[in-house]
Every structure is written in structure tokens, then in C-alpha cells.
Amino acid sequence: MWNGAYVEKIKSAITLVCDAGPAIHLDELECLNLIKDFKEVLFPNTVWEEINRHRPSALKNADLPFVQLPGKTPYSEPLLTLCKIFSLDAGEIEALALMEQRPQAMFLTDDAAARLVAIQMGFNVHGTIGILVRSIRQGQKSPEEVLDILKNIPFKTSLYIRHSLLQEIQLKIKSEFNL
Amino acid sequence: MKTIQTEVPEQLFKKAQMLVKEGWFRDEKDIFSEAIRRFLDTHRPDLMEKFIREDVEWGLRGKD
């Protein structure tokens, strides 16, 4: 339960492999610093280029542990098959190939198909909403701040979430922290 | 059937044409219909909602 303490916890030992969506959405919400506590945030080259094309400001923050990985990461036949079945794009395939090389890492994506493949491969996978809510647990944001951010999602981001589901999430947080 | 008009990247269209030429599909329309069907299959609202709910739970009670 939230007790008002607002102290940033120690750095996570987890490496994050990031798809373009969450980096763009978190930047739109001015919340990209919420992934600052991860050990490192890896971007395959194609994903980096995609972000650079759509939201270059997301890559400009020098304080974040971002790593652009050039070149192609090799991937297994089962992964490639799944990616083809689910019609994933080049960036998602590269990100999942990186996950295959680093199975202890966490994959961050807002794409349902990429997430399905990640689950099939047994990877740890989350999205923008998870990172926002996690920030309360990590002492990065207060529940009230996160409620404000969630409220702004339809106005400030290209992340589409059904209005009633967004309300449901806000109610859940309010109830969780007695607000 | 509904007719829609849209723009696709040149390279994507060339790949579709190649598949048709090689005999994998009847025509480009079949490819784009199949692509949309697959996209809709993997982007079902119930699935996306499930993932978001799981994320909220992880955000609140996860260990990492």
C-alpha cells in the first residue's frame, strides 16, 4: 500500500529490450525517465531508426541508459516462423531476436502480436501502461501523478486504449491507494 | 465486398506483386485481405485488454 514515501528505489538489474511504441508513448507523456532505473535499455537498429523518424526527441535524453545496437542479431528458426505467422515488422523481429540472445531481459512492447510471440517464446514482456503503474511501486511517481498521466493518454499520445478501460485502470489505482 | 482505396509503400507492393507472380496468391487484393485478416486476428480487443490488465497487475505487484 502507498504510504506517502517517495524515494526512488535502487537501480534494477534487468536489461530492457525496447520496441518503438513504448519509447514513443512514454516520451509523449514526458515519462521516458521511468525506464531510467533499468540496467540498460537496448534498441535494435531498426527500432532506433523508427523512433528517430517518428519521435526523435525520445532519443535525445543523455541521462537514459539507451544503447543502439547496430547490425543484425541472429535468430532461431522457431522465432522467425512465429514472427512470420504473426506478421511482425522488422523492428519487432530484431527486438525479439535480441530477447532470444538475452532471455533474462524484459521486452517492452505495445504491439499485441509482438507480445503474443514474446509470450510464446517464454519472454518477460510488458507495455507502456505497466511501466506507468510500476513507477508507483518503484517510488518514481505518486499514485496521484500516475492518475494524471493516465488521464492524459488520449490527449497526449498515439497509444489507443478504450476509454472505459482507461477509466477502469484509474479506478483500480484509486482503490488500491485509498484515493 | 467493400472496396477501399489506400496507399502502400512501393517496396511492399513490389513484394506483393512478386508473390502473385510466383503463384502463391491469385492477386494483390488477396494478399492485402489476408494481411488485414491476420492483423485483426492478432489485435483482438479482448487480447489487448487482457495484456493491459496484466500490465496493471504487474505494475502494482510485480517484483521486477
Side-chain angles (χ1 to χ4, degrees), chain B residues 34-51:
Chain B
E34 178 66 10
I36 291 170
R37 188 191 63 73
R38 285 185 186 217
F39 183 87
L40 293 175
D41 273 354
T42 52
H43 291 78
R44 298 190 327 257
D46 58 324
L47 199 60
M48 292 190 282
E49 286 200 20
K50 176 179 173 283
F51 290 155

Side-chain angles (χ1 to χ4, degrees), chain A residues 19-66:
Chain A
D19 193 7
I24 292 170
H25 301 143
L26 287 169
D27 190 56
E28 288 169 336
L29 291 164
E30 295 168 55
C31 285
L32 207 48
N33 60 335
L34 297 184
I35 54 175
K36 192 180 171 179
D37 67 315
F38 286 93
K39 185 180 163 195
E40 54 184 355
V41 183
L42 307 182
F43 293 93
N45 209 35
T46 306
V47 171
W48 184 277
E49 295 299 332
E50 194 180 338
I51 300 167
N52 204 26
R53 218 167 32 248
H54 296 290
R55 186 85 184 172
S57 61
L59 302 171
K60 298 280 189 284
N61 192 332
D63 287 344
L64 297 169
F66 285 179

Side-chain angles (χ1 to χ4, degrees), chain A residues 127 137 162 168 172 176, chain B residues 49 53 55 57 59 61 64:
Chain A
R137 172 160 58 82
R162 187 167 53 81
E168 191 189 305
K172 171 105 181 157
E176 195 75 26
Chain B
E49 286 200 20
R53 287 200 172 91
D55 259 6
E57 276 308 307
R61 283 174 260 281
D64 43 15

Side-chain angles (χ1 to χ4, degrees), chain A residues 115-127:
Chain A
R115 187 159 172 155
L116 271 176
V117 173
I119 292 168
Q120 288 293 318
M121 295 297 293
F123 301 151
N124 186 8
V125 54
H126 298 288

Side-chain angles (χ1 to χ4, degrees), chain A residues 53-126:
Chain A
R53 218 167 32 248
H54 296 290
R55 186 85 184 172
S57 61
L59 302 171
K60 298 280 189 284
N61 192 332
D63 287 344
L64 297 169
F66 285 179
V67 181
Q68 177 187 11
L69 293 176
K72 294 267 181 213
T73 308
Y75 37 70
S76 70
E77 202 54 42
L79 175 63
L80 184 62
T81 304
L82 274 172
C83 290
K84 296 286 180 199
I85 290 170
F86 286 93
S87 304
L88 300 194
D89 68 26
E92 289 155 356
I93 296 172
E94 280 184 33
L96 285 159
L98 271 183
M99 284 299 298
E100 202 170 38
Q101 302 285 315
R102 297 166 175 79
Q104 302 306 315
M106 181 186 293
F107 181 40
L108 201 59
T109 184
D110 286 326
D111 184 88
R115 187 159 172 155
L116 271 176
V117 173
I119 292 168
Q120 288 293 318
M121 295 297 293
F123 301 151
N124 186 8
V125 54
H126 298 288

Side-chain angles (χ1 to χ4, degrees), chain A residues 143-163:
Chain A
E144 291 88 346
E145 285 173 315
V146 170
L147 285 170
D148 266 351
I149 294 164
L150 289 170
K151 204 165 62 185
N152 277 321
I153 283 179
F155 312 109
K156 290 179 76 172
T157 76
S158 45
L159 176 63
Y160 299 102
I161 299 177
R162 187 167 53 81
H163 183 64

